[in-house]
Amino acid sequence: MTPAAKASAPHASASAPHASEASDPGVVASGGNPSGAHPEVDAALAALGEGARIWSHLTLGQRGRLLERLHATVSAVAEEWADAASDLKGVPAGHPLRGEEWLGGPYAVLVSLRAYEQTLKTLQKGGNPLDGLRVDEAPTGGIRAHVFPAKPMDSLLLSGFSGEIWMAPGLTLDEVRATAGLGQRHPTASGGVGLVLGAGNVTSIPVLDVLYELLANNRVALLKLNPTMDPLIPVFERALAPLIEPGLVRIVSGGPDVGEYLTAHPGIDHVHITGSATTFDAIVWGTGEEAERRRAEDSPQLSTPITSELGGVSPIIVVPGVWTDADLRFQAEHVVTMRLQNSGHNCVAAQVVLLSSEWPQREAFLGALREAYAAAPARPVWYPRADEKLQAAASAYPDAEWFSDRTRALVHLEGGADASALEGTEYFSPVLGVMELPGLGQEFVDAAVAHANDKLTGSLGANVLIDPATQKALGDGFERAIADLRYGGIAINTWTAFNYLTPVLTWGGFPGGTLHDVGSGIGVVHNALLLAGVERSVARGPFRPFPRSLPTMIRTRSVSKGGLLPKPPWFVTSRTGSEVSEGFARYRMDGSLVRLAGTLAKAFRA
């Protein structure tokens, strides 16, 4: 194990312009009035007004063909996209983690386009997006649709992974089917012009949010990019050319003045923001004493409807069981990936490990976690003001352990230590906390779920690690606990980034966010089946990788019950992760089985 160096303050390489908490789109509203003229923005909105009319006249077949063109243009710029994103984040050529930008950029968009195409084809033929899917009752009592794997290739590439959508309790299957398709059920009904305030951390987010506006809501979109994404504007313009040419999408950049102008503009019919609750509140209520007055009077300055995805403090619930040494190492690397992928600049980067203080293997797991945290490849902490977040963690927890030249912190809280900063601050940087709770078995699971629900800020994503024997022993009690976990995305033996990358799943906070208390946001995105009334998405993965997954596959007589990958390519410890991630994206580009075979061979060397 690499020794941990304790320090009272870190340093980081973030020096980009100011941005608010989390993936702030560079928008700060004050007073709700346009500040200055922006003729280029007005021209873009005028074009979108005509584009809205054009979109409402396109048939489902024409829209499907437009998505096919988009698939071609995204494929054409995919390599440039991944390279530009890697360069933006300071990840040099040849670095083992450049594959992250293939998965979090073009790959995510390519698989989403294909999923939306399939939904449009189904609707065009008079079918329903739920046709052919297994539907049963979720532990909440509501409708549950088993949506992944959707095709045989999904089972091969992501063997052992599955995904479910749980609908809000009270909805009947007939009601769910009657609304499936959302805006595409009534394609001639225009939703007007939407403003998408794009995230600055993951490059696929702005594009996916634009697609959701078009397909779920029949809204053409003005995409206001976060200034951090400015280097990708040429890439986005070429990737989205089939939407830009007919006036269905326009892209603008700029600082807070542009965002303020847009959120108050009468030509905007809807606002969607991926960012922070701080920025959301500034848009809706303003800032300072004016915001307090507006809240008290229930008089928001924003009169336009708004949806949002805003992040939070995500837990990793480690259910105690009997783990092998290999299990301890693998799951420690899994936890480290959840925190360090993209240098922790993810709205769903896991931040708090909830561990049993009575687990006999507690110390062994903590040792494996420290070792993996120290050994993960070094990389820049690049997001604007991340250095301030690290400094805040150092001030709140002077006994934290620091790794990798003091750019990543491990905060282990025991006894009565004050956890308020760790539980209430989305650090959005490499700060990982470990908290201990009493109990074993169901007692611990219930305590951890209650702690995650009641103590941690936000409800975007929660992760649970549990070995098969323990899960079998808990039985229905474990599923009931998952039902009690109030998060919009839940990942069992995988990371909620899988939910994000799987287009037929939904992405957003647990229902209940309001203008007064937005939490992790309002509404969902992705949702390629275009389902209404979603409560959450639940992903499940294999606890053990290949070949240690073989006993599970033999016992269940099913390849789909165990992982065929020695290590998922998104693990920060994968030796071939960059090559495999790029290979998976290129397969989604051209469908070459020869290329895929070579990629899978590299995956087995991970």
Side-chain angles (χ1 to χ4, degrees):
M1 181 178 73
T2 303
K6 291 193 176 182
S8 60
H11 69 265
S13 59
S15 58
H18 169 77
S20 201
E21 289 180 25
S23 42
D24 182 347
V27 179
V28 177
S30 56
N33 296 314
S35 56
H38 292 277
E40 72 287 353
V41 172
D42 292 334
L45 287 172
L48 288 168
E50 175 63 16
R53 187 188 67 81
I54 293 173
W55 181 247
S56 67
H57 282 76
L58 295 182
T59 66
L60 294 182
Q62 289 171 324
R63 294 178 181 194
R65 289 191 290 276
L66 190 60
L67 295 187
E68 290 179 3
R69 286 186 58 207
L70 272 173
H71 189 278
T73 52
V74 170
S75 297
V77 301
E79 183 171 355
E80 182 183 355
W81 182 335
D83 286 344
S86 298
D87 293 343
L88 166 68
K89 299 178 181 184
V91 182
H95 194 284
L97 297 181
R98 277 178 81 96
E100 291 179 359
E101 300 311 316
W102 279 95
L103 290 180
Y107 175 91
V109 175
L110 290 167
V111 293
S112 293
L113 287 169
R114 288 303 192 217
Y116 282 129
E117 281 182 52
Q118 183 58 53
T119 295
L120 289 177
K121 289 177 181 177
T122 298
L123 291 169
Q124 184 184 9
K125 294 176 181 177
N128 191 284
L130 289 174
D131 289 347
L133 297 177
R134 181 164 66 93
V135 178
D136 60 10
E137 183 178 301
T140 56
I143 299 297
R144 173 173 61 180
H146 299 261
V147 300
F148 187 89
K151 297 181 178 180
M153 190 57 72
D154 294 333
S155 299
L156 173 64
L157 296 182
L158 292 165
S159 174
F161 290 84
S162 63
E164 310 154 11
I165 292 181
W166 296 16
M167 310 305 296
L171 289 175
T172 67
L173 179 57
D174 286 343
E175 290 171 332
V176 173
R177 289 182 60 88
T179 56
L182 295 178
Q184 300 314 297
R185 296 183 66 85
H186 309 284
T188 60
S190 174
V193 178
L195 170 63
V196 172
L197 300 172
N201 60 328
V202 176
T203 60
S204 60
I205 293 176
V207 177
L208 293 177
D209 289 350
V210 163
L211 291 176
Y212 197 67
E213 281 291 273
L214 276 171
L215 295 163
N217 304 299
N218 276 329
R219 275 194 290 267
V220 298
L222 181 65
L223 170 58
K224 160 67 173 68
L225 286 174
N226 184 303
T228 62
M229 290 288 161
D230 281 355
L232 277 97
I233 289 177
V235 173
F236 289 157
E237 287 178 337
R238 294 199 299 280
L240 296 177
L243 301 181
I244 292 173
E245 291 165 1
L248 308 180
V249 171
R250 285 291 184 270
I251 302 173
V252 298
S253 186
D257 61 316
V258 177
E260 182 181 351
Y261 182 74
L262 283 169
T263 55
H265 201 289
I268 296 296
D269 298 296
H270 181 272
V271 177
H272 179 77
I273 171 179
T274 297
S276 70
T278 300
T279 305
F280 176 93
D281 288 343
I283 292 171
V284 173
W285 302 105
T287 57
E289 294 181 0
E290 176 71 7
E292 294 179 10
R293 179 188 65 79
R294 286 185 174 278
R295 280 183 177 275
E297 297 174 355
D298 192 21
S299 176
Q301 70 174 12
L302 182 73
S303 58
T304 307
I306 185 170
T307 52
S308 53
E309 186 266 280
L310 305 175
V313 174
S314 295
I316 310 168
I317 298 173
V318 180
V319 181
V322 180
W323 295 11
T324 67
D325 289 343
D327 292 338
L328 292 167
R329 289 192 300 271
F330 179 80
Q331 295 301 344
E333 293 177 19
H334 200 175
V335 171
V336 167
T337 295
M338 296 181 199
R339 179 71 265 184
L340 295 184
Q341 202 268 359
N342 196 25
S343 286
H345 309 314
N346 290 326
C347 53
V348 77
Q351 182 166 303
V352 175
V353 179
L354 297 177
L355 196 64
S356 169
S357 60
E358 300 176 31
W359 186 23
Q361 293 180 289
R362 164 187 165 276
E363 284 296 334
F365 177 76
L366 287 171
L369 182 62
R370 288 190 180 96
E371 185 171 357
Y373 204 53
R379 63 187 304 167
V381 180
W382 66 272
Y383 200 76
R385 307 195 76 165
D387 53 343
E388 295 179 13
K389 294 298 184 69
L390 290 175
Q391 180 62 55
S395 298
Y397 300 106
D399 292 330
E401 298 175 82
W402 291 91
F403 302 85
S404 192
D405 198 22
R406 301 195 298 276
T407 59
R408 58 183 77 150
L410 182 62
V411 180
H412 183 195
L413 298 182
E414 297 182 89
D418 182 7
S420 57
L422 192 63
E423 294 173 335
T425 304
E426 183 188 5
Y427 282 110
F428 210 67
S429 58
V431 178
L432 178 64
V434 178
M435 299 183 61
E436 298 186 12
L437 301 173
L440 294 169
Q442 193 69 51
E443 178 187 4
F444 170 80
V445 173
D446 291 342
V449 167
H451 192 99
N453 285 341
D454 300 335
K455 299 292 186 180
L456 304 186
T457 293
S459 64
L460 182 61
N463 312 277
V464 183
L465 303 179
I466 182 169
D467 66 89
T470 300
Q471 185 171 346
K472 182 178 180 181
L474 295 178
D476 291 342
F478 177 73
E479 293 298 320
R480 174 188 54 75
I482 296 301
D484 290 341
L485 196 51
R486 297 192 299 270
Y487 284 79
I490 297 173
I492 303 167
N493 290 332
T494 184
W495 176 28
T496 43
F498 179 85
N499 302 49
Y500 175 89
L501 288 172
T502 304
V504 290
L505 296 178
T506 56
W507 189 245
F510 194 78
T514 66
L515 295 185
H516 281 276
D517 183 13
V518 69
S520 284
I522 299 171
V524 299
V525 290
H526 302 188
N527 187 23
L529 297 177
L530 301 177
L531 303 178
V534 173
E535 181 187 65
R536 72 183 83 188
S537 287
V538 178
R540 303 174 192 261
F543 180 75
R544 296 182 175 98
F546 188 86
R548 292 190 296 114
S549 58
L550 279 173
T552 299
M553 290 187 279
I554 293 171
R555 185 177 66 253
T556 60
R557 298 181 182 179
S558 173
V559 173
S560 66
K561 297 298 183 182
L564 286 176
L565 293 175
K567 187 176 292 186
W570 55 84
F571 268 43
V572 295
T573 53
S574 174
R575 290 182 295 179
T576 60
S578 181
E579 300 166 278
V580 174
S581 297
E582 178 180 347
F584 278 2
R586 290 192 180 278
Y587 169 72
R588 297 300 184 180
M589 291 161 57
D590 59 22
S592 169
L593 294 177
V594 174
R595 183 194 304 278
L596 180 61
T599 296
L600 292 176
K602 293 175 183 177
F604 276 87
R605 299 198 301 270

